[in-house]
Amino acid sequence: MNINVAQIKGHYDAFNLNDARVGAPKDAIPTFMTMNLDKTTLKPMPNYLVGQGTVQYRRALDADVFLTDWAYVDHILISPGASIGQHYHKGVEEIFYVLNGDGQVQVNAETAPIHKGDGVPIRFNEAHSFVNNGSADLELMVVGISTQKNVFG
């Protein structure tokens, strides 16, 4: 998955390396940033952001690894019946990518079902919440982008 962040709309600082990494030799020291979304590293967060039940959470990458205004990459696992409470951010936009499972997202007054492979963009000041109304875990990767470096409001 490639995600680009631009300072100017339509002008990105990334380029296609033409390397899908399928069958590529493993570098002793990777030449690019990597992360592992290992479920065993998640920590329980009861009533996460005033949600229901217990959500499993981990910050996989924080702002220190990025040179630009990327804020974080989070890994979240919501068990059936649990939720992330409604909240918003003044200084961070987010992309929630559904790695596995089914659930429901609410952004401001709009509610929609979400499924594996869906992406949900959240803009500044948009109130949002997630609920797992499915029968299996709802697994999310969250990319946060700040208005400016180290501003998470």
Side-chain angles (χ1 to χ4, degrees), residues 21-37:
R21 303 305 294 171
V22 176
K26 302 298 181 205
D27 303 323
I29 300 173
T31 56
F32 54 90
M33 186 184 332
T34 63
M35 68 177 179
N36 186 342
L37 299 180

Side-chain angles (χ1 to χ4, degrees), residues 63-132:
D64 293 341
V65 301
F66 301 108
L67 299 176
T68 59
D69 295 339
W70 284 57
Y72 49 80
V73 176
D74 290 347
H75 185 201
I76 299 175
L77 196 71
I78 307 172
S79 59
S83 66
I84 297 174
Q86 189 174 47
H87 65 287
Y88 70 96
H89 311 280
K90 291 181 181 180
V92 176
E93 291 186 316
E94 294 176 311
I95 303 163
F96 286 78
Y97 181 74
V98 182
L99 296 167
N100 284 299
D102 301 294
Q104 181 175 292
V105 61
Q106 181 175 353
V107 180
N108 294 324
E110 185 178 347
T111 301
I114 54 174
H115 311 283
K116 181 179 180 176
D118 288 346
V120 181
I122 305 293
R123 295 189 175 120
F124 302 118
N125 298 310
E126 286 187 326
H128 53 285
S129 62
F130 290 82
V131 63
N132 182 345

